[in-house]
Amino acid sequence: MTVLVNLIVTLGMLYVVPAGLRLIDPAGLRTAARLWPVPAALGALCLWLPRGIPATVLAALYAAAALALATRAPARLLEARRRSRAGGSAGGAPPRTTVSGPAEVAVCTALVSPSIAATALVAERAGYRLFGFDLDILALTVPHFHFAGFTAALVAGLVCRAGATAPATAPGSTPGSATLSRWAAYSVPGGTLLVLLGYFVDDWAELAGAVVLTTGMWAVALLTWRDIRPGVRDRTTGALLGTSAAVLVATMLLALWWAAGEATGITHPTLTWMAATHGLGNALGFALCSVLAWRRLTVD
């Protein structure tokens, strides 16, 4: 399991995060995206070293970069709120509801998530049971917050943005699309936070988080398949979007099964099996395909 998890994390560090930063804000995060591979390479290297001081130092350097990235989130949220108020009060009109709020909540969750992953990585590489968690749990927290944290929130935010700018007559668009996209943008970060809190509370709280996260991710999948994919002319981009949406149905069902098993004691997959199915499917089928597709959409 260790080799597979390390490969998944390496993909997230070296490609998914910097590519995702360019999707969030091509101008404002250009420097961060360009420089990210340097600390990411150190973080990836530490995965393959034995636990100890060298691995911990490399992980700490990666964590410093992740924490610096997380500091961008509050400023973005404040700026989004300021823009919303300024737009809503123009000409004396009453404030209007926009989707920039939920989209920014999602992308800011993405900005913060690598710092959570990196904190767990430092503790795990040092052999320190942070908050009493087993080292295996800390090791799995690293890919979880690179993919369920960073990529899932990123894509939810991008889908919400697309719903905000798409005309009502766009292919596949329905009257409930805007509401569903806002739900996805709020529930994916909310579910991720609930899963994190479940680590400290109990398995039932983690199950509640898994339910919220799954409904949010299935909303992302539905919107991607029904609203975004039909309007894409390029076959490769359409195939990538379709794959990412279809994979989410299966991988999040596995997440629900595992969380329900932990809470109720019913038979459920082992962590090794989850890494090979849920983890690999989300990393390649969802995260990689989504980022590649959205990059192609941005270029087009």
Side-chain angles (χ1 to χ4, degrees), residues 23-38:
L23 291 171
I24 291 173
D25 189 345
L29 294 173
R30 181 187 300 128
T31 301
R34 188 172 64 247
L35 296 178
W36 187 265
V38 176

Side-chain angles (χ1 to χ4, degrees), residues 165-245:
T165 57
T169 57
S173 180
T174 65
S177 294
T179 300
L180 190 61
S181 69
R182 287 194 292 269
W183 162 255
Y186 280 133
S187 60
V188 171
T192 303
L193 178 60
L194 286 173
V195 169
L196 177 62
L197 292 176
Y199 289 178
F200 300 92
V201 181
D202 59 24
D203 291 333
W204 286 100
E206 191 170 351
L207 174 59
V211 170
V212 174
L213 179 58
T214 297
T215 58
M217 293 310 296
W218 282 348
V220 169
L222 177 60
L223 290 164
T224 299
W225 182 272
R226 186 190 67 188
D227 294 3
I228 298 172
R229 184 184 58 87
V232 175
R233 292 187 295 271
D234 178 67
R235 288 187 177 182
T236 301
T237 305
L240 289 168
L241 289 170
T243 300
S244 69

Side-chain angles (χ1 to χ4, degrees), residues 75-272:
R76 288 186 63 88
L77 285 175
L78 290 174
E79 176 63 18
R81 186 175 183 181
R82 184 193 66 79
R83 288 198 308 266
S84 179
R85 286 181 173 179
S89 59
R96 65 177 181 269
T97 302
T98 68
V99 297
S100 62
E104 279 300 323
V105 168
V107 297
C108 286
T109 300
L111 292 176
V112 170
S113 292
S115 65
I116 300 174
T119 301
L121 179 65
V122 173
E124 190 274 333
R125 292 289 77 195
Y128 175 68
R129 296 181 58 185
L130 184 66
F131 300 119
F133 293 119
D134 291 338
L135 297 182
D136 286 346
I137 297 299
L138 292 174
L140 291 173
T141 301
V142 181
H144 181 79
F145 278 92
H146 275 100
F147 292 101
F150 180 84
T151 315
L154 165 68
V155 175
L158 294 175
V159 167
C160 188
R161 284 181 182 176
T165 57
T169 57
S173 180
T174 65
S177 294
T179 300
L180 190 61
S181 69
R182 287 194 292 269
W183 162 255
Y186 280 133
S187 60
V188 171
T192 303
L193 178 60
L194 286 173
V195 169
L196 177 62
L197 292 176
Y199 289 178
F200 300 92
V201 181
D202 59 24
D203 291 333
W204 286 100
E206 191 170 351
L207 174 59
V211 170
V212 174
L213 179 58
T214 297
T215 58
M217 293 310 296
W218 282 348
V220 169
L222 177 60
L223 290 164
T224 299
W225 182 272
R226 186 190 67 188
D227 294 3
I228 298 172
R229 184 184 58 87
V232 175
R233 292 187 295 271
D234 178 67
R235 288 187 177 182
T236 301
T237 305
L240 289 168
L241 289 170
T243 300
S244 69
V247 164
L248 276 180
V249 176
T251 57
M252 296 312 297
L253 190 60
L254 286 169
L256 276 180
W257 183 14
W258 185 84
E262 289 289 297
T264 65
I266 64 172
T267 301
H268 60 286
T270 64
L271 286 177
T272 300

